[in-house]
């Protein structure tokens, strides 16, 4: 007799490798968690998917998650991204420590000769607000060592982020130990070069990075006397971290005023001697506004950032295709736009600079920032008329209106740029387009923009807060949800602009539809965009 063959469920008939590929396409962690509750098999599969993108910003949570890799061997190589926001307590500090069991530990009594350094660190941490909790917690030496021992097995990490933490030699060693690393971000970090900076054997030019973000770097504070902040001289030189921008494979660079790589690295007097060159394939550069905490001091050099070094860099970066900056050159500084790279196709800058560059370079996407008045006294509409003479076929236009919403601006845009594929208008204040205006938007404006696929008109929030805005309703509280209200608002646009695929009237929600006759779906966004890639 033939042995009875086991009856396989539909889930069991599909190979594990196929399931993992399918689960890798699920974008939301909540959806993966829901799948994990359906069966034991799906639980085992989703555990691997849930740990492909790791966020360790709380030491207690990290301690509880470490045993997962012992329970499910082989998951190490499935990790693709890591966001790390846990610092190790350095000698002399008296903050709460979280141990390997996830519970608070009593910190050791600091030795006298380390006490001063610990006080400086604590003063710096308090001033900058490093740490998301009222009582800042750090990993104990045992937990920190266990974390890095585990991270050392994540050899396939492609994206790494350090946020809200103290950077030491250990972190630079990690960066150089990941052969698949392509994206690196340092945000709200304190770098201690004088005591524990990266050794000179680290050659950042050899890193395989293609994307680098360095923003909101914090300087160490040595003293605060009568509200005047004194910086620690040992932490004044940040070239060891800023020189990450010399990675030869780098294609996208994002910095702010706290990371002046243009003056300190690319245009440094000894750049050639130190091997600091502009990467040959660097194509996209974004200078974003620094997200400073309220009352935080301005560091030495930031008050004049950027210098003309940004302009000199742009002239020398021959592969540059995208440049976005809230300040291109200091006031009353003339530029020779014809000296900029011929391949420049996406540019965003204050109105007066954007107007000059648009006339000299064949830009397809243009951002006109701070466009209340140009230096010549012309208003934004006059500036747009000037741009349209040189670039009537513009594909993407972004406008910042610091004076608040102005319906006349949209009328001018529709008249001057009929080939736009994407239009973004952000304005200050809470008074935006009226409900009547948005209702008539389709027949009055969208019908005259046959190629438009993305429309964004929303109030610009303060950079101090990157959390998106989620009101209960936009205009009409009788709807059961704001998602329902937004869908009802944008459905009529189908008739007047069949190419439209994305509409955004709030920072926290985007209405989108796929191709064909698919309906509109509202996606809830968690965070505000810090930069715009000027895509079209």
């Amino acid at each position: 007799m033939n042995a009875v063959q086991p009856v396989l469920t539909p889930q069991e008939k599909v190979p594990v490798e196929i399931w993992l590929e399918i689960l890798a396409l699920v974008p939301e962690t909540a959806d993966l968690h829901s799948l994990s509750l359906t069966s034991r098999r799906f639980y085992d599969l989703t555990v691997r998917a849930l740990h492909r993108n790791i966020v360790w910003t709380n030491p207690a949570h990290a301690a509880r998650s470490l045993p997962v890799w012992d329970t499910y061997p082989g998951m190490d190589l499935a990790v693709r991204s890591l966001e790390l926001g846990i610092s190790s307590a350095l000698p002399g500090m008296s903050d709460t420590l979280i141990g390997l069991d996830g519970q608070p530990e009593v910190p050791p009594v600091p030795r006298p000769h380390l006490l001063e350094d610990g006080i400086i660190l604590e003063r710096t941490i308090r001033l900058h607000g490093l740490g998301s909790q009222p009582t800042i917690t750090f990993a104990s030496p045992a937990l920190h060592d266990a974390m890095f021992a585990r991270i050392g097995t994540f050899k396939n990490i492609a994206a790494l982020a350090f946020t809200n933490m103290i950077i030491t030699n250990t972190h630079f060693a990690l960066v150089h130990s990941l052969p698949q690393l392509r994206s690196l971000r340092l945000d709200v970090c304190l770098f201690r070069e004088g005591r524990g900076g990266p050794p000179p054997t680290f050659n950042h030019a050899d890193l395989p990075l293609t994307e680098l973000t360095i923003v909101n770097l914090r300087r160490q504070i040595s003293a605060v006397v009568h509200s005047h902040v004194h910086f620690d001289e040992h932490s004044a030189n940040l070239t060891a971290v800023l020189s990450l921008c010399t990675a030869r494979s780098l294609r996208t660079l994002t910095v702010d005023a706290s990371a002046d790589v243009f003056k300190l690295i690319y245009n440094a007097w000894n750049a050639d001697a130190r091997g600091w060159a502009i990467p040959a394939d660097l194509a996209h550069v974004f200078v974003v506004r620094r997200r400073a905490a309220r009352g935080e001091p301005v560091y030495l050099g930031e008050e004049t950032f950027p210098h003309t070094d940004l302009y000199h860099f742009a002239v020398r970066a021959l592969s540059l295709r995208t440049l976005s900056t809230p300040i291109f050159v200091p006031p009353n500084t003339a530029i020779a736009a014809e000296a900029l790279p011929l391949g420049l196709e996406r540019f965003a800058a204050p109105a007066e600079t954007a107007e000059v560059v648009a006339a000299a370079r064949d830009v397809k996407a243009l951002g006109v920032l701070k466009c209340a008045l140009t230096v010549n006294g012309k208003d934004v509409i006059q500036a747009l008329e000037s741009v349209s003479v040189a670039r009537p076929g513009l594909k993407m236009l972004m406008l910042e209106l610091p004076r608040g919403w102005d319906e006349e601006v949209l009328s001018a845009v529709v008249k001057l740029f009929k080939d736009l594929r994407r239009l973004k208008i952000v304005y200050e204040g809470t008074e935006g387009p009226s409900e009547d205006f948005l209702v008539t938007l389709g027949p009055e404006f969208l019908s005259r923009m046959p190629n438009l696929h993305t429309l964004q008109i929303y109030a610009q929030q303060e950079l101090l807060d990157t959390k998106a805005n989620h009101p209960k309703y936009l205009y009409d509280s009788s709807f059961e949800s704001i998602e329902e209200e937004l869908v009802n608002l944008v459905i009529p646009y189908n008739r007047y602009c069949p190419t439209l695929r994305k509409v955004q009237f709030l920072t926290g929600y985007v209405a989108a539809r796929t191709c064909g006759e698919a309906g509109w779906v509202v996606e809830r966004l968690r965070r505000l965009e810090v930069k715009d890639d000027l895509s079209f």
Side-chain angles (χ1 to χ4, degrees), residues 145-319:
D145 291 346
M147 285 171 44
F148 269 80
R150 179 56 64 190
I151 293 172
T153 66
F154 302 157
K155 294 302 182 182
N156 287 330
I157 287 180
L160 176 64
F162 296 130
T163 61
N164 205 39
M165 60 185 297
I166 302 171
I167 301 296
T168 63
N169 285 348
T170 304
H171 304 93
F172 282 92
L174 171 63
V175 168
H176 281 264
S177 70
L178 300 173
Q180 304 300 323
L181 187 63
R182 298 296 180 267
S183 174
L184 177 63
R185 175 167 60 91
L186 291 91
D187 188 358
V188 194
C189 289
L190 172 64
F191 174 68
R192 306 185 70 235
E193 181 182 358
R195 306 173 183 87
T201 54
F202 285 160
N203 183 2
H204 296 329
D206 294 331
L207 289 172
L209 296 176
T210 58
E211 183 174 357
L212 174 65
T213 299
I214 307 177
V215 291
N216 304 304
L217 286 183
R218 301 315 194 221
R219 269 67 168 179
Q220 185 163 282
I221 308 300
S222 61
V224 180
V225 181
H226 301 300
S227 300
H228 292 286
V229 177
H230 299 269
F231 298 104
D232 186 353
E233 293 180 359
H234 292 286
S235 68
N237 186 355
L238 295 174
T239 55
V241 62
L242 297 182
S243 60
L244 287 164
C245 70
T246 62
R248 297 187 187 93
S249 55
L250 196 65
R251 290 185 54 82
T252 302
L253 173 66
T254 303
V255 296
D256 65 2
S258 71
D260 191 355
V261 299
F262 310 107
K263 178 180 180 180
L264 300 177
I265 303 297
Y266 293 136
N267 289 317
W269 67 271
N270 59 346
D272 292 338
R274 303 189 68 168
W276 291 343
I278 298 175
D281 296 325
L282 184 59
H284 312 289
V285 173
F286 301 91
V287 180
V288 298
R289 295 178 178 88
R290 185 165 78 90
R291 198 172 69 249
R294 295 185 186 279
E296 186 178 79
V298 175
Y299 306 129
L300 182 64
E302 284 191 30
E303 67 276 6
T304 57
F305 177 85
H307 312 266
T308 53
D309 295 278
L310 175 57
Y311 167 64
H312 295 313
F313 155 81
V315 171
R316 294 164 51 212
L318 301 181
S319 58

Side-chain angles (χ1 to χ4, degrees), residues 9 19 33 76 80 93 108 111 115 120 149 153 216 222 250 263 280 320 383 392 436 454 483:
T9 65
W19 277 122
H33 178 69
D76 310 66
R80 292 295 181 268
M93 297 178 64
R111 288 173 287 177
L115 186 60
I120 289 176
T153 66
N216 304 304
S222 61
L250 196 65
K263 178 180 180 180
L320 199 61
D436 289 340
T454 300
E483 288 89 347

Side-chain angles (χ1 to χ4, degrees), residues 347 349-369 371 374 378-399 412-413 416-417 420:
F347 185 77
E352 59 273 12
T353 305
E355 183 179 345
V356 172
V357 172
R361 287 291 173 261
D362 186 17
V363 293
K364 302 293 190 301
L366 185 68
V368 186
L369 313 179
C371 49
T374 68
K378 298 184 295 184
D379 62 19
V380 58
I381 294 179
Q382 289 177 298
L384 291 177
E385 289 174 344
S386 176
V387 170
S388 69
V389 172
R391 305 292 163 223
L394 207 62
K395 305 302 181 186
M396 186 273 179
L397 179 64
M398 176 175 66
L399 301 175
V413 169
L416 298 172
F417 305 100
L420 284 180

Side-chain angles (χ1 to χ4, degrees), residues 16 21 53 65 124 143 173 183 201 215 243 291 309 327 377 440 442 447-448 487 500 516 534:
V16 172
E21 289 296 327
N53 301 309
S65 69
T124 302
L143 175 57
S183 174
T201 54
V215 291
S243 60
R291 198 172 69 249
D309 295 278
I327 304 175
T440 60
S447 60
R448 297 155 61 189
V487 168
L500 197 61
L534 305 177

